[in-house]
């Protein structure tokens, strides 16, 4: 059993920055990818960024050039550095861990609120 604990959300002004963290607690038996999703009111949950066990990254077009995902494998932690924030970035951000090799599993964090407003 793995639990994901997120932190770093909050209220920030447009053009400001935030750094989200997500740490996986528990035993993980295989290589895994880590990612960040977000869900705004009335919207579907969408992928923001992901990173593989060998640090290959993928970003949504809407955040490319502004957000940066990274991971510390020794700490089982993934980070999302968010710069040049816009009001449309306002959402609940969820961390996800998913296996890359068997056995198959997916875990989700509890979500952290990010609000970009003047």
């Amino acid at each position: 059993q793995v639990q994901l604990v997120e932190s770093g959300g909050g209220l920030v002004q447009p053009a400001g920055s935030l750094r989200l963290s997500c740490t996986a607690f528990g035993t993980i038996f295989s290589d895994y990818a880590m990612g960040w999703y977000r869900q705004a009111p009335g919207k579907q949950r969408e992928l923001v960024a992901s990173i593989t066990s060998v640090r290959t990254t993928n970003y949504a077009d809407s955040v490319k050039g502004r957000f940066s995902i990274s991971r510390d494998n020794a700490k089982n932690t993934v980070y999302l550095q968010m710069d040049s924030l816009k009001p449309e970035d306002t959402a609940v951000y969820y961390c996800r861990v998913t296996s890359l090799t068997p056995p198959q599993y997916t875990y989700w964090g509890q979500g952290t609120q990010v609000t970009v407003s003047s």
Side-chain angles (χ1 to χ4, degrees), residues 29-47:
F29 297 103
S30 64
D31 292 336
Y32 56 94
M34 307 186 81
W36 291 95
Y37 289 71
R38 68 185 181 188
Q39 188 165 23
K43 301 289 186 179
Q44 296 275 58
R45 187 173 298 187
E46 64 175 350
L47 175 67

Side-chain angles (χ1 to χ4, degrees), residues 1-68:
Q1 182 67 36
V2 175
Q3 294 185 346
L4 306 182
V5 179
E6 304 178 26
S7 64
L11 175 65
V12 65
Q13 294 184 354
S17 297
L18 285 174
R19 188 181 188 231
L20 306 183
S21 298
C22 173
T23 299
F25 293 91
T27 302
I28 302 179
F29 297 103
S30 64
D31 292 336
Y32 56 94
M34 307 186 81
W36 291 95
Y37 289 71
R38 68 185 181 188
Q39 188 165 23
K43 301 289 186 179
Q44 296 275 58
R45 187 173 298 187
E46 64 175 350
L47 175 67
V48 177
S50 64
I51 184 167
T52 70
S53 58
V54 294
R55 296 181 171 85
T56 299
T57 58
N58 182 50
Y59 297 93
D61 288 341
S62 59
V63 307
K64 201 169 297 181
R66 300 188 297 119
F67 292 9
S68 180

Side-chain angles (χ1 to χ4, degrees), residues 64-109:
K64 201 169 297 181
R66 300 188 297 119
F67 292 9
S68 180
I69 189 170
S70 61
R71 66 189 289 168
D72 185 334
N73 289 338
K75 297 180 179 180
N76 291 332
T77 298
V78 62
Y79 306 93
L80 185 67
Q81 178 66 45
M82 304 185 293
D83 298 322
S84 302
L85 282 162
K86 305 175 180 179
E88 51 261 46
D89 295 318
T90 296
V92 177
Y93 284 70
Y94 297 91
C95 177
R96 186 201 68 172
V97 169
T98 188
S99 58
L100 298 174
T101 58
Q104 179 67 47
Y105 60 78
T106 298
Y107 299 101
W108 290 91

